[in-house]
Amino acid sequence: MASPRILLAGGGTGGHLYPALNLAAAFGQLAPEVECVFLGGRRGLEARVLPDAGYEFRLLPLQPLYRQRPWRNWRLFASVPAVLAGVRRAFRDFDPRLVVGTGGYVAGPALAGARLHRVPAAIQEQNAAPGLVTRLFAPAVDQIHLGYPEAEARLRFGGRTRLSALGNPVAPGPPIAPGPAVGSGPPVGSDPRGAPEPSRSPGPNGSPGPAPARFDWPAGRNLLVFGGSQGALGLNRAFLRDLEWAARDGSAWPDGVSVVWIAGPAHAAELAARASELPFSERVRVVSYIDDLGRQLDGVTLALCRSGAMSLAELCAAGRPAVLVPLPTSAGGHQLTNARALAGAGAAEVREEGRLEPGELWSLCRDILTDDGRLARMSGAAASRGRPDAALDIARDMLTLLDRGAA
């Protein structure tokens, strides 16, 4: 008898793809007899990640939806016949007993296929402001798993839909590679061009994948600045401006505080050169990336970052507070909604990029880093929102739908 298959559909960005990969790893741990297969888009991150992830997959010729420039959507409509044909082939060849959508354009066709073929379906929604696919298909699926409980108020459900808020499925945390600590990414002054994008995906059948090399965090309290694996130009510019402001201001650098700045492969060389000219350059370490960052946040005291759902889930799972600068152009303003939800829980401070004053970010981070009581309160609030076992909890719940898929 063939192994029951679960079709996972999500992609476009890592924020939709990695939750699906983490759920697949959890399915493998809980039910090794289940086979996970993936549906993705040719234009998304999944086209680069899935070939090395160890799962069977199909890629569809999906086109993006242009909300601000609707005249460009002709490509989307022109691609519909090929996308529908690809979905039909995927259901014919894979014969899934469960469909799981984790967001992005590919999730919509997959969930529509589940409804057409009368296959049980579930959604894992990462953001406090649910995406378009989740809003459209919420009335038609069997389960919806929310990363933020605040998302429930923005959704309309079907009569048979079961809702839970178990958190976002972060990657399992295997031991970091033993041996001497090594730095990931180039140090200040080196050239990061050609640095590979880090691999964040777990291995098939629940295996955690290769253990990352341990990053050698500086001793003391560390401010981690990051905007994702490729960096965030707006955040990078704002933080550099603040460091240069601090140099002109002449204030003493706080004792025992260091900055680890993940600038991204495209920006690290320039920012490292600029940071090297500062009077406190020995306290600022610029790197292009840190491999598998979510599994080695033990050296971080405070994060200054964007507010993508999975980044925040990893920080909360590790009990790390944050100063959040949401991406202003995120779809539907979902990053700002995520940030405000975490701030409301006491785990973060929020500053909007377009309203920043020179020195504001550094002054806020410095004040938090040097206030033991404030750090403790924010860390406790972050840990209270952390769900390190969310992937297993969600997968366990979704597996109950397999019996219906066999009917």
Side-chain angles (χ1 to χ4, degrees):
M1 181 177 177
S3 299
R5 286 174 169 167
I6 298 176
L7 176 65
L8 296 108
T13 66
H16 295 310
L17 175 61
Y18 290 117
L21 286 165
N22 295 340
L23 285 173
F27 286 132
Q29 290 184 35
L30 295 171
E33 72 281 5
V34 169
E35 182 181 353
C36 290
V37 295
F38 281 77
L39 199 62
R42 294 175 186 171
R43 295 167 54 98
L45 178 67
E46 58 270 30
R48 302 201 307 273
V49 172
L50 288 178
D52 297 324
Y55 299 100
E56 192 173 354
F57 65 94
R58 298 287 174 83
L59 299 178
L60 303 179
L62 288 156
Q63 296 293 323
L65 174 66
Y66 294 99
R67 303 177 194 225
Q68 304 301 322
R69 292 171 288 178
W71 59 89
R72 298 187 62 182
N73 286 325
W74 67 268
R75 293 186 180 90
L76 173 63
F77 296 115
S79 70
V80 167
V83 169
L84 294 179
V87 172
R88 284 197 298 269
R89 285 193 296 270
F91 273 79
R92 180 194 66 205
D93 297 343
F94 291 146
D95 189 25
R97 283 174 45 189
L98 171 63
V99 174
V100 176
T102 60
Y105 301 129
V106 70
L111 292 169
R115 187 169 177 81
L116 180 65
H117 291 83
R118 299 184 178 181
V119 176
I123 290 174
Q124 197 281 313
E125 170 58 54
Q126 298 89 43
N127 294 293
L132 176 62
V133 169
T134 297
R135 298 197 306 272
L136 287 175
F137 285 92
V141 299
D142 299 274
Q143 294 180 4
I144 299 177
H145 296 273
L146 303 177
Y148 286 81
E150 292 85 355
E152 180 178 358
R154 299 169 179 256
L155 291 174
R156 180 172 56 89
F157 308 104
R160 64 187 177 90
T161 304
R162 194 162 71 82
L163 178 76
S164 64
L166 298 172
N168 279 316
V170 298
I176 303 299
V182 298
S184 295
V188 168
S190 67
D191 187 352
R193 288 173 294 185
E197 183 168 330
S199 172
R200 300 286 304 276
S201 59
N205 301 320
S207 65
R214 179 175 292 279
F215 184 78
D216 61 337
W217 299 102
R221 295 185 176 185
N222 290 312
L223 172 66
L224 171 66
V225 183
F226 72 102
S229 64
Q230 300 303 309
L233 183 59
L235 182 59
N236 281 341
R237 286 173 172 169
F239 189 64
L240 176 64
R241 181 183 65 178
D242 275 26
L243 290 182
E244 292 175 340
W245 171 89
R248 293 191 302 271
D249 182 61
S251 300
W253 188 269
D255 290 339
V257 170
S258 298
V259 172
V260 174
W261 186 355
I262 306 176
H267 312 136
E270 177 188 353
L271 294 174
R274 297 280 291 274
S276 69
E277 299 171 355
L278 299 172
F280 39 75
S281 60
E282 74 281 357
R283 308 301 302 179
V284 180
R285 183 179 180 189
V286 181
V287 300
S288 65
Y289 67 88
I290 295 176
D291 191 25
D292 226 335
L293 176 64
R295 298 185 191 180
Q296 44 182 338
L297 292 168
D298 54 306
V300 175
T301 310
L302 176 71
L304 169 62
C305 59
R306 294 299 198 194
S307 48
M310 293 307 294
S311 292
L312 300 190
E314 290 175 340
L315 288 170
C316 288
R320 298 300 185 262
V323 172
L324 303 175
V325 185
L327 178 67
T329 57
S330 64
H334 70 266
Q335 284 210 9
L336 180 58
T337 307
N338 292 347
R340 286 174 172 168
L342 210 58
E349 294 281 351
V350 182
R351 297 294 184 269
E352 295 186 49
E353 186 175 306
R355 300 180 180 180
L356 289 171
E357 298 292 334
E360 184 176 359
L361 288 178
W362 169 243
S363 297
L364 176 58
C365 292
R366 180 192 60 201
D367 291 348
I368 296 173
L369 285 164
T370 55
D371 186 333
D372 291 349
R374 190 174 184 182
L375 263 179
R377 289 191 297 273
M378 292 180 70
S379 297
S384 73
R385 291 293 293 249
R387 300 291 185 270
D389 297 323
L392 289 170
D393 293 338
I394 295 168
R396 189 176 292 110
D397 215 7
M398 289 181 176
L399 284 170
T400 63
L401 296 173
L402 278 181
D403 290 339
R404 269 199 48 209

